[in-house]
Amino acid sequence: MLFWQILIDGFAVGSLYALGAMGFALIFGVSGVLNLSHGALMVAAVVAAWAAGNDLHVGPYAGAAIGVLVGLVASLVTYFAVVRPLQNSQKIREDEKEIFILTATLLWGIMIQELIAYFYTNNAKTVSPIVGGVINIAGVRTPANELFTAIVCWIVIGVLWLLVNRTRAGKAVLAASMNPRGVTLLGIELPQIYIAVWAIYGVLIGVAGVLLGMFLGVSSYSVGPLTASAFSIVVLGGLGSVSGALIAAYVVGYLETMTAYLISPAYRTIPALLLLVVVMYVRPRGLLGRR
Amino acid sequence: MKTQLWRVAPKFATYAAAAIFALAMASPGHAQSGPIKIGVIAEAQAVAGSSIPQAAQLAADEINASGGVNGQKIEIVSYDNHSSAAESVRAFQRAANEDHVNAVIASYISEVVLALEPWTGRLKTVMVTPGAASDVITQNIAKDYDHLKYTFHGYLTSTSIADLVCAAAKDLLATQLHLKSTVVMSEDAAWTTPLDAEYLKCLPEAGLKVLDHIRLSPDTTDFTPIFNKIEGQKPDVILTGISHVGVQPTVQWKQQEVPIPMFGISSQATNSSFWNDTNGAVEGVLYQAVSGPDVAVTPKTLPFVNAFKTKFGNFPSYAGYTAYDEVYYIADAIKRAGSTDPDKLVTAMEQTDWIGTIGRIQFKGKDTGNPHALKVGPDTITGLMLQWQNGKQVNLWPEKLANGKMKFPSFIKVGSAQ
């Protein structure tokens, strides 16, 4: 019973983590940007979906769509207003740009967090679930919404895989993540790839955010922990490796779920962080890292 | 070097003297001819906290419209503490030293109020909290009355709240539904330590055997393992003590269709916006409060609620009711003291006998274990037990103030464990 419970819950949590972290890994892999506003963008998507339901009285599907749309828009705004001006700046030395972008995205995240708290308070918000009720799986009363979360995550991951491996644009993105200079030699414009990647990222965090909002709920306080969890999953998986992030997400998801069930929910995040420290010592490039 | 020092020294001495003079002038308690200033330090970004400055302003406006206090107007000076104890202390220092407030209404978070408490003595400034609950606030006053007598507890202590919950549990759960066992589920915070201690004592007396006691981290996002553990113990009811968390456990309780009712303290459930915040998942949750939107606890309750709703567009949080009352009884104390001198104000506050929106306000005396805590009982404050039903907060207890009957969503199996 407990075994099945952990298996099911860990899978749902891991799928959600995977979706959130894959976009984060993709952005880093392609453009070298560590986007510390990640959690804030996700929370923005959730709050938008929640507000659409409550203030505009739209249904759960429309609410979810608005949430994803806000994730996409927020991601593109982050790229055009925060990241790109710094990448193109002549005044900042090339080798200092990474740290400038890191700081800028962190501040941008704090700004979004404060704006959300100001307009929508820091109390937690949940998105109205698309599917309700519970399903009995191996004696475990599982919310249908939890299964829905895992299924949607895998559909989106599958679509992303097809996009990257089966389309020309996707292959260009993949190539750019391996060798940006090589891609430009092939006549592909890097800025276009960046825009495509930030758009994909926006959809990923929009979907992940809305699902998280339906499954567990978030508040403006979740901004930091969400960024931190994506960051540690991506570091664990290997910076820039999307498949590494996928595996690491499940490792962290199951480790957290097992801790919560077998030890105490209060210590939930600790073993995953310890694992991160161990991986940093033993294999600094992460599970599937190239760099 | 020596000559330079000689040149600078007198200048330095002048500055130092000026600074000392300024500090001396800044010390509170000086008679003022301007308005009576009440500082409000609150969590503007939290639902519970955002009502505090609003309700205080409403009370001040009403008092000013009817002529003020001893001919003086009341001015509310608000500070947003961002839910932080450190920011609250800075705001308190600014309120006392720079803005020269005559009293402060501060916070619904016990940790914040406990951090401010020593400063009330150091800066000799009266402070009343509209929403913190920890008993330690008033226990500290008992230990060091001379320094901490400036602190007043304008909301119920955790022990009092637990006693009120137990009284309601006895009537509603043990007598009415014949429930016999419970698991206490509370968040790990300063206010729940005395709450849980009292729960464990008073619940068995109310007829509910406590099978387990779970303290959850306020950072918890996934409550599945907790509900899972509770369900395994087969209690008839979950007794809650939650305030910092609220939306997430409620939504997950509904989503997982945990078949056990939730009853107790769920501070966020007192907010009228909680139905929307949880997308209706709160249906059937029972929670203790000192007031409710449609419950005329005193003749002042509903006029306040209506005025608040008209002015701000939403219903006040629980701390809104108390903050509103606090401005009134601080003004009343200043009137009776005939002065804003902090020591005279303390004496006058101790003699408070004010019918507010939540009941009759009287403070416990110096010689009790909890000086300056609100008196609780049939003659003062009895509290309520409400239940969310179809988007409305319906009062079930005490019977004379009830405006509905207890009912549960279909996934709840009342008394299934028996």
Side-chain angles (χ1 to χ4, degrees):
Chain A
M1 173 77 178
L2 194 61
F3 170 79
W4 288 105
Q5 184 86 45
I6 292 171
L7 198 72
I8 295 166
D9 279 359
F11 189 74
V13 170
S15 307
L16 209 48
Y17 281 176
L19 203 58
M22 279 168 79
F24 191 84
L26 193 69
I27 294 279
F28 182 78
V30 174
S31 59
V33 171
L34 275 176
N35 173 26
L36 294 187
S37 63
H38 177 79
L41 300 179
M42 271 176 88
V43 172
V46 181
V47 172
W50 172 82
N54 277 296
D55 298 342
L56 307 176
H57 307 290
V58 302
Y61 285 100
I66 289 172
V68 176
L69 188 71
V70 167
L72 173 66
V73 172
S75 165
L76 290 176
V77 169
T78 306
Y79 175 61
F80 282 109
V82 182
V83 176
R84 189 147 124 161
L86 290 172
Q87 280 176 334
N88 293 342
S89 169
Q90 305 290 331
K91 293 178 186 154
I92 305 166
R93 290 215 323 259
E94 262 327 296
D95 56 338
E96 285 178 350
K97 279 186 179 170
E98 267 188 29
I99 192 77
F100 266 84
I101 292 171
L102 199 71
T103 317
T105 53
L106 176 68
L107 293 176
W108 173 239
I110 294 171
M111 281 162 69
I112 296 172
Q113 177 181 12
E114 288 295 321
L115 280 174
I116 291 170
Y118 183 80
F119 286 108
Y120 293 101
T121 76
N122 55 20
N123 286 50
K125 306 274 178 282
T126 52
V127 181
S128 191
I130 287 177
V131 287
V134 290
I135 298 167
N136 200 315
I137 305 173
V140 179
R141 204 180 55 241
T142 313
N145 181 41
E146 193 173 333
L147 290 180
F148 176 80
T149 301
I151 292 167
V152 173
C153 283
W154 271 96
I155 291 174
V156 176
I157 290 167
V159 170
L160 182 69
W161 187 85
L162 285 176
L163 200 70
V164 170
N165 292 294
R166 292 279 183 272
T167 65
R168 201 181 136 74
K171 284 178 181 168
V173 167
L174 192 65
S177 76
M178 291 169 179
N179 188 345
R181 207 165 286 167
V183 170
T184 52
L185 289 175
L186 291 170
I188 298 168
E189 293 284 337
L190 262 186
Q192 281 181 4
I193 295 219
Y194 290 164
I195 295 168
V197 169
W198 279 89
I200 293 170
Y201 170 71
V203 174
L204 287 177
I205 52 160
V207 175
V210 169
L211 290 174
L212 181 67
M214 287 177 186
F215 179 33
L216 300 177
V218 299
S219 72
S220 65
Y221 288 127
S222 317
V223 164
L226 283 174
T227 307
S229 90
F231 190 79
S232 42
I233 286 168
V234 167
V235 171
L236 191 64
L239 271 170
S241 164
V242 176
S243 33
L246 184 64
I247 295 167
Y250 281 99
V251 171
V252 171
Y254 273 110
L255 210 51
E256 284 191 6
T257 309
M258 277 162 65
T259 313
Y261 277 99
L262 302 176
I263 304 170
S264 159
Y267 303 129
R268 190 180 176 99
T269 54
I270 294 172
L273 293 173
L274 289 177
L275 176 71
L276 187 67
V277 173
V278 172
V279 167
M280 285 295 93
Y281 267 109
V282 181
R283 196 181 159 86
R285 64 202 164 94
L287 299 175
L288 299 181
R290 294 189 306 267
R291 296 169 190 233
Chain B
M1 188 66 200
K2 224 174 193 178
T3 44
Q4 273 177 350
L5 191 68
W6 273 114
R7 215 179 291 157
V8 177
K11 223 178 196 177
F12 178 75
T14 318
Y15 285 143
I20 291 164
F21 182 71
L23 273 176
M25 289 303 289
S27 67
H30 284 267
Q32 291 169 3
S33 53
I36 292 166
K37 286 186 176 180
I38 298 178
V40 175
I41 301 171
E43 298 71 16
Q45 296 179 339
V47 174
S50 62
S51 289
I52 298 173
Q54 293 175 333
Q57 189 62 54
L58 180 64
D61 291 347
E62 289 174 4
I63 295 170
N64 291 340
S66 54
V69 181
N70 302 339
Q72 285 175 286
K73 297 272 183 209
I74 291 185
E75 185 187 328
I76 301 291
V77 190
S78 289
Y79 311 83
D80 180 2
N81 67 7
H82 294 97
S83 306
S84 141
E87 285 199 42
S88 301
V89 169
R90 279 196 293 276
F92 193 86
Q93 291 166 338
R94 206 177 112 199
N97 290 333
E98 291 171 36
D99 298 334
H100 309 299
V101 302
N102 304 105
V104 170
I105 292 172
S107 183
Y108 76 97
I109 301 175
S110 293
E111 284 83 347
V112 167
V113 175
L114 286 165
L116 289 177
E117 194 173 19
W119 288 96
T120 64
R122 285 174 203 146
L123 300 175
K124 291 199 191 311
T125 302
V126 168
M127 173 186 74
V128 194
T129 172
S134 173
D135 292 58
V136 181
I137 298 165
T138 46
Q139 284 163 1
N140 286 343
I141 304 173
K143 282 183 210 149
D144 189 5
Y145 177 83
D146 289 339
H147 285 108
L148 301 180
K149 64 179 180 182
Y150 304 96
T151 300
F152 286 81
H153 197 158
Y155 184 62
L156 310 177
T157 61
S158 299
T159 305
S160 304
I161 302 173
D163 287 337
L164 294 176
V165 170
C166 285
K170 188 178 177 189
D171 291 351
L172 293 174
L173 303 180
T175 310
Q176 216 171 309
L177 296 179
H178 310 294
L179 303 187
K180 292 190 171 59
S181 61
T182 181
V183 167
V184 173
M185 177 183 92
S186 61
E187 65 190 19
D188 198 357
W191 75 278
T192 54
T193 311
L195 180 90
D196 289 2
E198 188 65 14
Y199 265 168
L200 299 184
K201 209 174 92 193
C202 71
L203 285 169
E205 288 164 9
L208 291 166
K209 188 181 172 197
V210 181
L211 303 177
D212 197 6
H213 171 207
I214 294 172
R215 278 175 81 76
L216 54 92
S217 159
D219 299 331
T220 308
T221 50
D222 185 359
F223 291 81
T224 319
I226 295 165
F227 286 132
N228 207 273
K229 189 175 174 205
I230 291 176
E231 225 186 308
Q233 282 150 332
K234 302 192 188 307
D236 290 331
V237 59
I238 302 172
L239 247 293
T240 54
I242 52 176
S243 173
H244 297 276
V245 298
V247 171
Q248 287 161 313
T250 308
V251 167
Q252 292 173 32
W253 169 78
K254 158 80 167 53
Q255 216 170 74
Q256 290 156 30
E257 303 197 348
V258 180
I260 309 161
M262 286 206 287
F263 181 104
I265 324 258
S266 177
S267 302
Q268 293 185 22
T270 66
N271 303 323
S272 58
S273 60
F274 200 67
W275 180 267
N276 284 343
D277 287 344
T278 60
N279 297 304
V282 71
E283 172 78 28
V285 170
L286 291 126
Y287 67 93
Q288 189 274 345
V290 284
S291 50
D294 293 320
V295 190
V297 179
T298 74
K300 287 179 184 169
T301 317
L302 294 184
F304 159 67
V305 174
N306 294 333
F308 191 96
K309 180 92 181 1
T310 310
K311 191 160 185 189
F312 303 108
N314 57 312
F315 289 110
S317 75
Y318 79 99
Y321 292 84
T322 40
Y324 176 84
D325 290 346
E326 282 162 16
V327 172
Y328 267 104
Y329 61 73
I330 289 170
D332 175 62
I334 291 173
K335 201 174 188 175
R336 283 184 283 111
S339 153
T340 52
D341 175 80
D343 291 296
K344 286 183 184 159
L345 185 53
V346 168
T347 312
M349 287 278 289
E350 287 177 337
Q351 286 151 7
T352 295
D353 186 0
W354 182 262
I355 303 289
T357 58
I358 63 164
R360 186 177 179 184
I361 307 291
Q362 289 180 335
F363 290 106
K364 288 186 187 170
K366 185 182 170 181
D367 302 322
T368 61
N370 298 83
H372 298 183
L374 288 183
K375 286 185 187 170
V376 174
D379 302 329
T380 47
I381 298 168
T382 52
L384 310 172
M385 184 57 72
L386 300 100
Q387 187 180 38
W388 275 99
Q389 295 178 359
N390 298 321
K392 291 208 161 53
Q393 293 155 299
V394 177
N395 188 43
L396 306 175
W397 186 90
E399 214 177 338
K400 62 175 181 184
L401 290 175
N403 52 13
K405 293 252 170 288
M406 196 166 16
K407 59 177 184 185
F408 293 99
S410 57
F411 67 87
I412 298 283
K413 310 276 180 284
V414 177
S416 62
Q418 291 166 26

